[in-house]
Amino acid sequence: MEIIAFYFTYHLLLDQLVYDIEQKESEVMIEPETFSLEKYPTLYQTKKQISEKVKSYENEFEEYIVKENQRIRTEI
């Protein structure tokens, strides 16, 4: 599950990361609604492939996260 966590993170946060980098590089305010990862075909395809693969683990991963959060809170 730890490895799947990397893929879920990539799947969930890639758009925000690229948006943040693009906005910083351009030094211009970019409206989030107008931003699309499709502007970067390689990243877009990679994300699409990863998203398709992680779908099959979604429920199992959510259960894992809940259990890990409970375990961590118990240890603290």
Side-chain angles (χ1 to χ4, degrees), residues 6-54:
F6 290 115
Y7 290 110
F8 268 94
T9 302
Y10 186 91
H11 159 77
L12 294 173
L13 300 178
L14 181 62
D15 291 74
Q16 184 66 51
L17 174 64
V18 175
Y19 169 81
D20 291 347
I21 292 170
E22 185 175 303
Q23 183 161 304
K24 179 153 179 50
E25 292 291 317
S26 69
E27 297 180 2
V28 174
M29 180 63 183
I30 300 170
E31 292 298 323
E33 299 82 23
T34 63
F35 177 80
S36 174
L37 196 60
E38 291 181 39
K39 182 177 177 181
Y40 304 94
T42 304
L43 287 175
Y44 180 73
Q45 279 304 110
T46 302
K47 180 185 176 189
K48 192 173 172 182
Q49 289 172 346
I50 288 174
S51 297
E52 289 172 7
K53 290 179 181 179
V54 297

Side-chain angles (χ1 to χ4, degrees), residues 59-74:
N59 292 334
E60 186 179 350
F61 185 70
E62 286 176 11
E63 290 173 15
Y64 166 76
I65 293 299
V66 168
K67 287 178 185 174
E68 281 298 297
N69 283 337
Q70 289 172 345
R71 182 184 65 80
I72 291 168
R73 287 188 180 122
T74 303

